[in-house]
Amino acid sequence: MKVDFVHRQSAHCESGVTSSLLQNIGAAKITEPLAFGMGAGLFFAYIPLIKVNNGPAIAFRTFPGLIFKRTCKALGIPIVRKKFNSKAEAEKYLQDALVAGSPVGCQVGVYYLSYFPREYRFHFNAHNLIVFGKEDDNYLISDPIMEFPTTLTTYELERVRFAKGALAPKGQIYYPAKHVDITDDTIRKAIKNGIKLNVNNMLNIPGWFAGVDGIKFTGGRIKKWRNSLGLEKAGLYLAQLVRMQEEIGTGGGGFRYMYGAFLQEAHAFLPNDELLKSSEKFTETGDLWRTSAVLAAGIYKGRLGSQADFNQMGDYLMEIAEIERKAFTELKNIKW
């Protein structure tokens, strides 16, 4: 039981799965950056009232599942998405899809992925991979962050599909329902819609917790963490920031690079040089996110820890917020 499928390594799990599943049904032009941008994947949220791994909830991308859903909707591709209460029902549905010739995306937990090195395993339930067949008791797995296809036993796959905790996947599977011819006009429209939605998500969400205002607010809070939390707990909070920024798939810096790549690829379909100018700004903020991660790592590992270090960390985020505000404002004002 094996579907005709080509494994493609990518930078981020959901955008990589989305691109691979769409290319598998003939949408060859939908690269990972295009899928990420059409799905308005770039985001930021800081929600201190919600704790993940004993730190505040911090997100650098949109809610899990939305990149696939939005990209397919923008391209007019119907989808199948299903969650399960029964493990047996989930197993049967997966096998039926494979017998019908459909590779399927699965949301899974990271902690029990046996092919991950132990140091990369932690309790995070929004990883995405593709199942494209089964040989004996081994499911054939295309994990987009891996160089080559791998396998999980029936038990191992069931365990990660039904991982417990925040964002529990509940056996979720998803895949395109059928092949649809994708024209360049459809791609152009999807690009415009994706940019418009991402502009709104980063500039117009009310409150202090999300978008560029959320980045600025978080920078201000970081400056107070050393005194309000104590050095040890403040270091753990920064470790959480770096984990969400750099270790969850592509991470904060990597997502900015990918969005810059999306704008460059969008230029091929919509030759407006404002796209290239904005792309440069996202490359700049990607560099700043990475620089801030190095500083944060120095603090939580005990090499640094003065108030000046926390002030510098906060200043990085405030600078990032202003550059991304300018970039999204430029995108908002493009005359198509």
Side-chain angles (χ1 to χ4, degrees):
M1 185 167 57
K2 184 177 181 180
V3 176
D4 185 17
F5 179 81
V6 177
H7 171 76
R8 298 171 181 86
Q9 189 176 23
S10 59
H12 170 244
C13 64
E14 187 180 346
S15 51
V17 165
T18 299
S19 175
S20 289
L21 288 176
L22 295 185
Q23 290 191 37
N24 191 67
I25 63 168
K29 293 183 179 180
I30 308 304
T31 63
E32 182 185 10
L34 284 178
F36 185 77
M38 291 174 181
L42 199 67
F43 194 51
F44 181 87
Y46 168 68
I47 310 174
L49 295 179
I50 299 176
K51 294 295 188 288
V52 178
N53 294 315
N54 298 315
I58 302 171
F60 288 85
R61 47 147 295 179
T62 192
F63 195 78
L66 287 182
I67 293 175
F68 177 76
K69 178 181 178 180
R70 289 170 177 170
T71 301
C72 290
K73 181 178 180 180
L75 295 170
I77 299 172
I79 65 173
V80 174
R81 182 188 293 276
K82 190 170 178 61
K83 294 183 179 181
F84 304 88
N85 293 320
S86 164
K87 294 179 180 179
E89 183 183 353
E91 169 79 3
K92 182 179 185 304
Y93 200 99
L94 171 61
Q95 292 201 19
D96 288 347
L98 295 173
V99 169
S102 295
V104 300
C106 293
Q107 181 182 330
V108 301
V110 167
Y111 191 77
Y112 293 110
L113 284 175
S114 57
Y115 54 82
F116 267 28
R118 288 193 177 277
E119 58 269 25
Y120 285 97
R121 298 188 207 172
F122 55 98
H123 293 288
F124 177 71
N125 290 331
H127 187 57
N128 292 267
L129 51 78
I130 295 171
V131 182
F132 65 96
K134 188 177 186 184
E135 295 177 348
D136 299 323
D137 191 46
N138 293 313
Y139 278 101
L140 308 180
I141 305 296
S142 172
D143 189 317
I145 69 170
M146 305 297 289
E147 185 175 2
F148 303 106
T150 185
T151 62
L152 290 170
T153 66
T154 300
Y155 170 73
E156 288 171 337
L157 181 58
E158 177 186 279
R159 195 179 196 189
V160 296
R161 289 181 70 195
F162 284 90
K164 305 295 184 182
L167 301 175
K170 297 180 180 179
Q172 179 175 183
I173 66 172
Y174 56 91
Y175 55 94
K178 65 178 181 178
H179 169 79
V180 175
D181 291 328
I182 306 298
T183 67
D184 284 359
D185 283 342
T186 301
I187 293 175
R188 280 188 278 269
K189 183 179 178 181
I191 289 170
K192 292 179 184 178
N193 288 341
I195 291 174
K196 181 179 179 180
L197 180 57
N198 226 145
V199 165
N200 185 65
N201 288 344
M202 291 298 288
L203 296 183
N204 300 329
I205 291 181
W208 49 263
F209 69 95
V212 295
D213 287 337
I215 300 172
K216 182 178 180 180
F217 177 83
T218 306
R221 298 301 295 179
I222 287 172
K223 292 184 179 185
K224 301 176 181 179
W225 279 354
R226 189 177 189 274
N227 289 329
S228 64
L229 300 175
L231 186 57
E232 182 178 358
K233 190 171 183 180
L236 292 175
Y237 273 36
L238 286 176
Q240 171 77 341
L241 179 72
V242 173
R243 182 185 298 115
M244 302 305 291
Q245 180 178 322
E246 300 298 334
E247 296 182 12
I248 302 294
T250 313
F255 284 135
R256 271 60 192 174
Y257 296 135
M258 191 186 299
Y259 201 76
F262 158 65
L263 295 176
Q264 292 176 17
E265 293 189 17
H267 184 266
F269 293 93
L270 296 161
N272 186 315
D273 288 346
E274 291 297 319
L275 294 171
L276 300 181
K277 288 173 58 178
S278 296
S279 173
E280 292 174 358
K281 287 184 172 63
F282 286 108
T283 299
E284 183 180 359
T285 61
D287 291 343
L288 284 170
W289 278 116
R290 288 281 156 87
T291 300
S292 73
V294 173
L295 176 59
I299 294 173
Y300 73 71
K301 289 183 177 180
R303 296 193 296 266
L304 303 169
S306 70
Q307 182 59 46
D309 296 323
F310 281 85
N311 290 342
Q312 180 64 69
M313 184 70 193
D315 286 340
Y316 279 138
L317 268 67
M318 290 180 171
E319 183 179 1
I320 289 166
E322 291 312 305
I323 296 171
E324 293 196 3
R325 189 187 306 277
K326 290 178 182 177
F328 278 112
T329 300
E330 289 174 358
L331 292 173
K332 178 181 179 180
N333 294 331
I334 287 179
K335 306 300 181 184
W336 298 107

